[in-house]
Amino acid sequence: MSYTKFVAPLVRANSGSIRKLRISPARCRSTVASTKTREEKEQQQQQKTNGCTVVEAAPVELISQSRKAAKAPLSKTHIDFENTQEAYKSKGNIELLRSLLVFKLCTFDILVDKNKELMDLSRKLLGQWMFEKLMKMTFYGQFVAGEDHNSIKPLIRKNEAFGVGAVLDYSVEEDLTQEEAEKKEMDSCVSEAEKESPGADHREKKYKAHRQFGDRRGGVISARTYFYADEAKCDMQMETFINCIKASGGASNDGFSAIKMTALGRPQFLLQFSEVLVKWRRFFNFLSAQQGKSQMTVLEQKLELEQLKDSLTELGVGAKDDIENWFTGEKLGLSGTIDLLDWNSLINDTTKISNLLMVPNLQTGHLEPLLNIFTEEEERQMKRMLQRVDILAKHAVENGVRLMVDAEQTYFQPAISRLTLEMQRKFNREKPVIFNTYQCYLKEAYDNVTLDVELSRREGWYFGAKLVRGAYMYQERARAKEIGYEDPINPDYEATNRMYHKCLEYVLEEIEHSRKANVMVATHNEDTVKFTLDKMNEMGLSPTENKVYFGQLLGMCDQISFPLGQAGFPVYKYVPYGPVNEVIPYLSRRAQENRGIMKRSQRERSLLWKELRRRLLAGQIIYKPVY
């Protein structure tokens, strides 16, 4: 889908254009290529001392667009995650005590399970003013930066002074009952055609709304959730994101802002477009099997063009002249083969969005509409979602902010990823502005990363990725089991770790090769951080090139964030903000997430106690950070 052609007729300000896709028969590099010899890498490995992470002291050409620099030797950097003096030097003693209190409270099941009821009761007993004071002394003060974009600036500037940047995230959510959430979801995810003639379409059950999973907050503890109300509400949420982008540009240098696609339009379109993308990919796999290539990796599956045309003609997918036009001219077929990226580009060149929602029927061999009819209002709703995405991307460029598009449920994610990819093709021409999020607990995560990196190579734009493990595991597994489709999640935590490291290593190799990829390692897992540092050392990737970022949540894992930041690595805190009463749903999830983390490990609390004891023994009863 050509993003410019999709959005240009809809957004008057869009006067630019994107070159049409040209496929070169040559590939920039193989999926496992590296520019270093084995001997060079072995020499680098020998430079590690005593198990500490060392950044190679050798000249490296810095090609970062955001921080242009001349050749310079890299200094050796030792990262000690046990050094509490460095980890907590930005915190006063009161802040350390607050962290200890909050983390301890998070280990009590009754407090966590009933946290919302307890907060409501506290507000009634104490009154609003005292309740807000109590929250700011505890959970709110620990996990939230402030009430608005002005009040968060001191914290952001303090963190920046100690080497830690910010990903701003306005964390206000609508406080709905489960029944209200389910009703909104069903109303917004079911089209008029489906309501009038249920079962008369070609929809798959995974991509249809189901009331028992209508409340998308269920089983999710670390992600915001938006429910569609109307177009005016989506416009308000877009304005909130714009204010967040402006705040990020004004409060920090080289910052990020996070957005969610489900906040920007009716989710019906995301469901339907996801199903179309999945069915087209499945059709490609079917044609690949016909040519005996089903056992190859995704990027190795290249269909012979003439054989493909014959197959499509025999299936009756289209007239021979139409099929010929698909694969000629400037678009495709220059190499005599068609791969999955070429195939995906067939879904484009339309301004009537419902025309996108055509799918191949393997039983009849014909292209058929996913739904029989769309109302004019549904057509307008789909267009408005794309307009809002385009507006946000332009504001990010104007304010010098990078835009992080959060991942969501698997039945929305194919459409979210495709729309994000189209934004990258348009806005990441000179530097990385748009970042997509890849959930590594998904079985298909590696295929998704490699395909998107390959497209960025072919077209010459900057690839931007945030790697996370994932936030929807329990909900996704329950939904797949109940409704009856394959579980999309890796079988266990170890498999997810392997997938994370596999995806990360692939992107790091792309950075090593071209310096046009960028990745945020968003994790609280210390082993994964050490894995990344080791790989950067092996590949000679300097932290000052600003290609590999690290990300953690505000109020958590300071023992990772601040030592990295003070050693010169680009590291960012996800910084939520919003009025006390309106971020209570967010605080509730933070309490639940911390319960799991704190019960699995006492490490963070023990480090906090260690630093408090060190200060008391050193006579630092009153400690004030100096910056």
Side-chain angles (χ1 to χ4, degrees):
M1 172 177 56
S2 171
Y3 184 84
T4 303
K5 292 181 180 179
F6 211 0
V7 178
L10 315 176
V11 185
R12 294 180 182 176
N14 184 6
S15 59
S17 62
I18 286 184
R19 301 173 187 170
K20 289 191 176 181
L21 178 62
R22 293 179 180 270
I23 307 300
S24 169
R27 297 291 180 259
C28 295
R29 70 170 176 92
S30 72
T31 57
V32 293
S34 172
T35 59
K36 293 186 181 294
T37 65
R38 181 177 297 177
E39 289 77 10
E40 287 175 317
K41 288 191 175 183
E42 287 176 352
Q43 289 175 3
Q44 288 179 0
Q45 187 66 30
Q46 290 172 2
Q47 293 177 10
K48 292 184 178 181
T49 59
N50 301 325
C52 298
T53 304
V54 177
V55 179
E56 182 187 1
V60 173
E61 186 176 355
L62 307 184
I63 318 178
S64 169
Q65 292 293 323
S66 57
R67 296 184 184 178
K68 295 180 181 178
K71 286 186 178 181
L74 305 182
S75 60
K76 293 184 178 181
T77 305
H78 170 70
I79 306 295
D80 181 5
F81 295 116
E82 300 288 337
N83 188 333
T84 60
Q85 186 172 358
E86 288 297 308
Y88 301 116
K89 67 190 299 184
S90 68
K91 309 288 184 186
N93 290 347
I94 298 298
E95 291 176 284
L96 296 188
L97 288 168
R98 182 186 66 196
S99 296
L100 283 165
L101 172 64
V102 170
F103 292 157
K104 182 62 178 177
L105 291 174
C106 287
T107 65
F108 295 111
D109 288 338
I110 189 169
L111 294 180
V112 174
D113 292 335
K114 301 293 183 181
N115 71 85
K116 193 169 184 304
E117 292 88 341
L118 290 170
M119 284 191 280
D120 289 341
L121 178 62
S122 299
R123 183 165 43 220
K124 289 178 183 177
L125 294 176
L126 299 175
Q128 185 63 33
W129 186 83
M130 279 299 296
F131 172 74
E132 290 190 9
K133 284 289 184 184
L134 176 64
M135 294 303 295
K136 289 178 179 178
M137 290 171 59
T138 54
F139 287 93
Y140 183 94
Q142 181 70 19
F143 300 122
V144 183
E147 300 203 44
D148 54 42
H149 63 272
N150 287 318
S151 63
I152 66 177
K153 287 180 180 179
L155 175 64
I156 291 174
R157 287 170 181 158
K158 182 177 81 166
N159 284 352
E160 280 194 332
F162 292 94
V164 177
V167 181
L168 291 196
D169 186 11
Y170 191 69
S171 296
V172 170
E173 291 181 19
E174 199 174 1
D175 193 9
L176 301 174
T177 66
Q178 181 176 337
E179 185 178 352
E180 289 170 334
E182 289 173 354
K183 184 179 186 306
K184 285 196 171 189
E185 186 75 351
M186 297 305 294
D187 288 344
S188 62
C189 288
V190 181
S191 70
E192 292 303 316
E194 290 175 285
K195 291 175 184 176
E196 292 174 6
S197 304
D201 51 52
H202 306 287
R203 304 293 307 282
E204 290 189 10
K205 50 192 173 185
K206 178 177 180 178
Y207 299 99
K208 296 182 76 170
H210 297 266
R211 184 171 291 277
Q212 65 267 44
F213 295 97
D215 186 353
R216 287 183 275 113
R217 300 168 299 182
V220 178
I221 59 173
S222 56
R224 288 167 299 147
T225 303
Y226 291 93
F227 293 95
Y228 180 83
D230 51 38
E231 293 299 292
K233 184 71 175 290
C234 292
D235 286 336
M236 288 175 57
Q237 287 166 170
M238 180 188 71
E239 289 298 325
T240 296
F241 287 145
I242 289 173
N243 291 335
C244 192
I245 289 168
K246 291 178 178 178
S248 184
S252 64
N253 298 318
D254 216 17
F256 286 88
S257 187
I259 68 168
K260 279 211 170 218
M261 206 72 78
T262 49
L264 298 174
R266 185 170 175 172
Q268 172 194 332
F269 172 54
L270 296 176
L271 278 174
Q272 292 163 345
F273 191 34
S274 290
E275 184 173 354
V276 168
L277 292 168
V278 168
K279 284 186 173 179
W280 272 95
R281 181 163 176 171
R282 195 179 299 155
F283 191 39
F284 178 87
N285 294 338
F286 168 77
L287 295 168
S288 180
Q290 280 193 332
Q291 294 194 15
K293 299 181 179 181
S294 59
Q295 299 303 313
M296 297 179 178
T297 64
V298 172
L299 285 173
E300 290 173 341
Q301 292 178 2
K302 296 179 176 64
L303 307 184
E304 300 300 324
L305 185 54
E306 293 306 316
Q307 188 177 343
L308 173 61
K309 290 177 183 178
D310 291 340
S311 296
L312 292 173
T313 303
E314 290 173 10
L315 287 168
V317 170
K320 192 168 182 65
D321 288 344
D322 291 336
I323 294 170
E324 189 72 31
N325 290 333
W326 286 1
F327 304 110
T328 56
E330 294 181 318
K331 293 181 184 177
L332 303 167
L334 299 181
S335 64
T337 60
I338 298 292
D339 66 11
L340 184 56
L341 290 176
D342 304 332
W343 182 259
N344 286 343
S345 70
L346 294 173
I347 307 175
N348 64 3
D349 297 352
T350 183
T351 55
K352 186 171 175 59
I353 298 173
S354 56
N355 289 347
L356 273 176
L357 304 179
M358 300 289 290
V359 294
N361 186 322
L362 295 182
Q363 281 71 44
T364 65
H366 297 294
L367 285 177
E368 299 174 344
L370 190 67
L371 293 171
N372 293 326
I373 190 171
F374 284 87
T375 67
E376 289 185 8
E377 178 56 25
E378 286 172 337
E379 185 83 27
R380 285 193 293 268
Q381 288 168 353
M382 290 187 281
K383 289 179 180 178
R384 290 189 200 113
M385 174 182 277
L386 299 173
Q387 287 176 304
R388 293 179 187 114
V389 171
D390 191 72
I391 289 168
L392 289 175
K394 287 176 178 174
H395 275 282
V397 172
E398 290 168 4
N399 287 273
V401 173
R402 288 162 292 186
L403 206 59
M404 196 83 74
V405 182
D406 286 344
E408 303 192 46
Q409 286 88 348
T410 53
Y411 42 90
F412 292 139
Q413 192 57 43
I416 292 171
S417 289
R418 182 60 182 264
L419 294 174
T420 305
L421 188 71
E422 299 300 339
M423 284 199 292
Q424 289 180 313
R425 296 169 83 174
K426 179 177 180 181
F427 294 101
N428 286 12
R429 289 289 171 179
E430 297 180 359
K431 61 181 180 180
V433 175
I434 310 298
F435 280 65
N436 200 1
T437 301
Y438 298 87
Q439 300 179 103
C440 293
Y441 66 11
L442 296 179
K443 296 172 183 175
E444 61 180 20
Y446 183 74
D447 286 347
N448 293 337
V449 169
T450 55
L451 281 168
D452 291 352
V453 167
E454 174 66 15
L455 185 63
S456 72
R457 282 188 218 126
R458 292 185 187 185
E459 299 183 345
W461 44 268
Y462 284 78
F463 175 80
K466 178 178 74 170
L467 298 183
V468 299
R469 280 173 171 79
Y472 304 97
M473 182 178 72
Y474 300 111
Q475 184 187 101
E476 292 275 13
R477 283 208 161 122
R479 190 177 189 270
K481 182 178 180 180
E482 178 67 25
I483 296 172
Y485 57 87
E486 182 184 353
D487 184 352
I489 308 294
N490 285 318
D492 51 43
Y493 187 74
E494 289 71 25
T496 294
N497 277 344
R498 289 193 296 272
M499 179 66 79
Y500 194 106
H501 290 179
K502 185 179 181 181
C503 293
L504 174 57
E505 190 167 14
Y506 183 86
V507 179
L508 289 174
E509 286 190 349
E510 179 65 13
I511 296 171
E512 178 190 26
H513 177 77
S514 71
R515 295 306 201 270
K516 292 194 77 171
N518 296 258
V519 64
M520 174 173 280
V521 184
T523 181
H524 294 162
N525 187 308
E526 193 172 305
D527 290 335
T528 295
V529 173
K530 290 177 178 177
F531 173 87
T532 308
L533 297 175
D534 287 344
K535 290 298 176 184
M536 290 179 69
N537 179 57
E538 290 174 17
M539 296 174 175
L541 295 179
S542 164
T544 60
E545 291 189 67
N546 209 26
K547 297 293 183 184
V548 182
Y549 319 104
F550 297 88
Q552 289 86 41
L553 291 167
L554 182 71
M556 297 173 65
C557 290
D558 288 345
Q559 78 276 10
I560 292 177
S561 306
F562 285 89
L564 283 171
Q566 290 165 67
F569 289 86
V571 58
Y572 294 82
K573 287 288 194 184
Y574 248 69
V575 177
Y577 68 99
V580 175
N581 284 333
E582 296 179 47
V583 298
I584 283 177
Y586 175 85
L587 292 173
S588 177
R589 288 198 309 273
R590 286 283 75 79
Q592 292 171 10
E593 184 169 14
N594 271 285
R595 169 173 56 184
I597 292 173
M598 291 304 153
K599 283 193 171 183
R600 286 194 301 269
S601 173
Q602 300 294 320
R603 177 169 162 72
E604 190 159 0
R605 279 193 291 155
S606 67
L607 290 173
L608 287 163
W609 276 121
K610 178 182 174 182
E611 175 59 13
L612 269 177
R613 285 194 296 268
R614 186 199 67 77
R615 290 181 185 180
L616 292 175
L617 291 173
Q620 297 175 319
I621 298 174
I622 299 175
Y623 174 86
K624 185 176 181 180
V626 178
Y627 59 97

